[in-house]
Amino acid sequence: MSLDAVLARIDTDLDRSVERLMTLLRIPSISTDPAHAADCREAAEWLAGELEDLGFDAAVRPTPGRPMVVAHGAGDGPHVLFYGHYDVQPVDPLDLWDTPPFEPELQEVDGVKVIRARGASDDKGQLMTFIEAVRAWKAETGAVPARITIFLEGEEESGSPSLIPFLEENAQELTADIALICDTGLFADRVPAITTRLRGLLGEEITITGPRIDLHSGHYGGMAMNPNRVMTKILGGLHDENGRVQVPGFYDDVEEPSEELLADWASLDFSVEEFLGSVGLKDLAGEKGRTPLELNWSRPTAEINGISGGYAGAGFKTVLPSKCTSKVSFRLVANQDPLKLRESFRAWVTAQVPADCKVEFHPHGAGPASSFDTGHPAFAATREALSDEWGQEAVYIGAGGSIPVAGYFKSILGMDSVLAGFAKDSDAIHSPNEKYDLESYHKGIRSWARVLGKLG
Ligand code: BES
Ligand code: ZN
């Protein structure tokens, strides 16, 4: 049977698959940093070249930001659109990396083989699982059992600013029977999973300016207002002692999941001790009275992602800064409107700024939460394929993170998405020393090969 031959080929070709991933990992395609724009282009071109070699009609397509890669393949069967993103997060703090982030290494840690590099898991390793599965089908049988379009984004990690116009302008070309998205993880690092809910995201940057220049904190201190003091007071009031976000109206539109869904989640074997313990914590920090999975999958949050103001370098400097800046993000759940929240957050902050200071806001990404109806037959096919590969029943889960494209595939293209991925909680995505287990890569490739077999 051809699937067995395809799977066997994946096994024997694994070393070369790893080499190809390493080549992609060496390109520092950080989308948020303009200094890496040329690297993003190089990653896009490398991917388009690989897809051309696989017989796709592939092109690097410009946008006002980082380019997209779109590739069309010939093939019979259902039309599937595969999505992944080739951009990665910044690497800082660089000094916390044990090996340089863009010099990928295959390492063995406690007997487990891992591919270590920025983007190894999020999302270069994951997107390559699909491309390598296609490669194996082509090499073994000369064809792929589905008609495939591949769509790779280069701005996912920076809020996808070019995505909506690109989807609108190329709607016909990109609309398929179903989208497959590989940018999520296994459940509890072991259980194969399809993610059916993602949280939305709103990002805001706040700058509070006090005195015209930095001041001597003794000479002026006591008379002049300090913007760091204003900022920390406001941010300190973002949550109450029960973990509830204090922006007025924040919870007004939040939808509770159905009893049935909550029961489903309750049946999953999740250990919060393990999840938090692995990062050196033990206590739940969110709203009181909610289960850990609820907190992550169906409750909104506010997080302070960064604060800067004054002197934080080596040694000490008695300064009263002119400015304080902070970056705050909100994870949103079903029914919350990001733009409405942006307005209420800005009004809430502004009302707390004293007359002697000025506040400015700079918007970052804004996207609503999304959830997927699992009725399309591709869900059952993917579930079976994942269960076969991983030797245990695949589960439907939620995710705390955001993948803006999934919502837009639905709202702009009218297309459902099956989100399946092989990342582990231990991968340290967005953190120093990101890795992807060789097991995730290998079984990930085999999983997509099986999914393609089932779809065809
Ligand atoms: N792959 C992640 C999203 C993710 C993380 C899904 C964990 C499931 C589990 C994705 O690349 C990501 O990090 N997205 C950003 C989007 C944002 C910048 C708009 C995020 O969630 O912060
Ligand atoms: Zn990602």
Side-chain angles (χ1 to χ4, degrees):
M1 181 193 135
S2 55
L3 177 65
D4 290 330
V6 171
L7 295 175
R9 178 174 284 264
I10 289 169
D11 298 346
T12 52
D13 201 33
L14 183 62
D15 289 350
R16 277 178 297 265
S17 296
V18 170
E19 272 314 310
R20 285 185 283 265
L21 170 57
M22 298 264 195
T23 304
L24 180 59
L25 290 171
R26 283 188 197 100
I27 308 172
S29 47
I30 303 169
S31 59
T32 196
D33 184 351
H36 287 281
D39 297 313
C40 290
R41 165 155 278 278
E42 188 186 335
E45 274 164 3
W46 184 83
L47 282 160
E50 288 295 297
L51 294 170
E52 283 276 331
D53 291 348
L54 288 177
F56 282 82
D57 179 7
V60 174
R61 305 267 286 262
T63 75
R66 310 293 169 260
M68 311 276 182
V69 177
V70 180
H72 298 284
D76 294 327
H79 184 192
V80 305
L81 178 82
F82 175 80
Y83 168 94
H85 62 92
Y86 68 78
D87 64 319
V88 301
Q89 283 275 327
V91 296
D92 57 295
L94 186 57
D95 55 318
L96 294 187
W97 286 78
D98 298 329
T99 52
F102 297 109
E103 293 174 26
E105 275 184 24
L106 189 59
Q107 301 174 346
E108 195 162 323
V109 181
D110 300 328
V112 177
K113 288 197 172 129
V114 305
I115 302 162
R116 177 100 50 202
R118 169 57 87 231
S121 174
D122 189 8
D123 186 44
K124 288 171 173 173
Q126 302 242 68
L127 75 85
M128 287 294 287
T129 57
F130 188 84
I131 294 178
E132 293 299 302
V134 169
R135 185 189 305 278
W137 267 104
K138 283 246 158 130
E140 196 57 41
T141 70
V144 183
R147 182 178 146 213
I148 296 172
T149 299
I150 293 185
F151 174 44
L152 306 174
E153 190 191 357
E155 297 182 331
E156 198 273 347
E157 300 289 12
S158 48
S160 300
S162 308
L163 188 60
I164 294 177
F166 193 83
L167 291 178
E168 282 171 349
E169 278 158 32
N170 302 285
Q172 211 190 347
E173 183 183 350
L174 294 172
T175 306
D177 299 324
I178 188 82
L180 305 176
I181 298 181
C182 191
D183 196 19
T184 52
L186 300 168
F187 179 68
D189 283 10
R190 315 176 279 279
V191 185
I194 297 174
T195 297
T196 62
R197 304 166 60 101
L198 292 162
R199 289 196 290 188
L201 188 72
L202 171 71
E204 279 283 277
E205 188 171 326
I206 307 137
T207 303
I208 293 175
T209 309
R212 180 172 57 77
I213 48 170
D214 286 8
L215 304 172
H216 186 292
S217 68
H219 193 52
Y220 282 88
M223 287 196 278
M225 182 45 87
N226 180 337
N228 277 353
R229 178 172 144 196
V230 177
M231 183 71 86
T232 52
K233 176 137 193 283
I234 295 173
L235 297 183
L238 195 52
H239 301 85
D240 71 5
E241 62 288 353
N242 293 316
R244 300 248 319 166
V245 175
Q246 296 300 293
V247 178
F250 186 67
Y251 295 99
D252 284 0
D253 299 327
V254 168
E255 225 170 65
E256 294 286 344
S258 66
E259 289 299 318
E260 195 189 343
L261 195 55
L262 287 174
D264 254 13
W265 293 352
S267 74
L268 294 171
D269 179 18
F270 180 77
S271 156
V272 71
E273 289 74 23
E274 218 173 277
F275 189 77
L276 287 181
S278 71
V279 293
L281 297 175
K282 56 184 189 324
D283 300 321
L284 282 176
E287 293 167 88
K288 299 261 174 344
R290 302 278 177 176
T291 68
L293 292 181
E294 255 184 284
L295 286 175
N296 199 233
W297 296 349
S298 68
R299 299 303 295 170
T301 63
E303 294 295 347
I304 304 157
N305 299 126
I307 311 180
S308 74
Y311 186 72
F316 207 78
K317 182 180 175 191
T318 49
V319 69
L320 194 162
S322 163
K323 280 180 197 306
C324 180
T325 298
S326 69
K327 295 176 198 260
V328 174
S329 66
F330 298 88
R331 295 287 166 173
L332 309 178
V333 300
N335 220 29
Q336 281 182 300
D337 176 354
L339 300 180
K340 187 168 146 195
L341 175 60
R342 172 168 277 151
E343 291 316 308
S344 43
F345 176 64
R346 287 182 175 188
W348 179 76
V349 171
T350 306
Q352 299 178 72
V353 176
D356 225 10
C357 292
K358 149 179 126 195
V359 61
E360 287 161 297
F361 297 95
H362 179 79
H364 286 273
S370 46
S371 64
F372 309 95
D373 175 37
T374 56
H376 190 284
F379 282 87
T382 306
R383 205 171 174 172
E384 279 171 30
L386 295 178
S387 307
D388 290 350
E389 175 59 28
W390 292 81
Q392 56 182 315
E393 200 54 38
V395 292
Y396 286 133
I397 63 171
S402 310
I403 305 173
V405 76
Y408 301 137
F409 280 166
K410 185 78 200 173
S411 61
I412 301 174
L413 305 183
M415 181 168 64
D416 282 312
S417 299
V418 180
L419 289 101
F422 316 99
K424 298 187 178 183
D425 297 330
S426 58
D427 284 357
I429 61 171
H430 297 205
S431 300
N433 300 314
E434 179 176 350
K435 58 88 175 161
Y436 198 43
D437 284 11
L438 187 62
E439 180 197 40
S440 294
Y441 192 48
H442 186 187
K443 289 174 92 62
I445 301 171
R446 291 175 51 105
S447 297
W448 287 123
R450 290 180 188 271
V451 170
L452 288 171
K454 295 243 185 244
L455 289 177

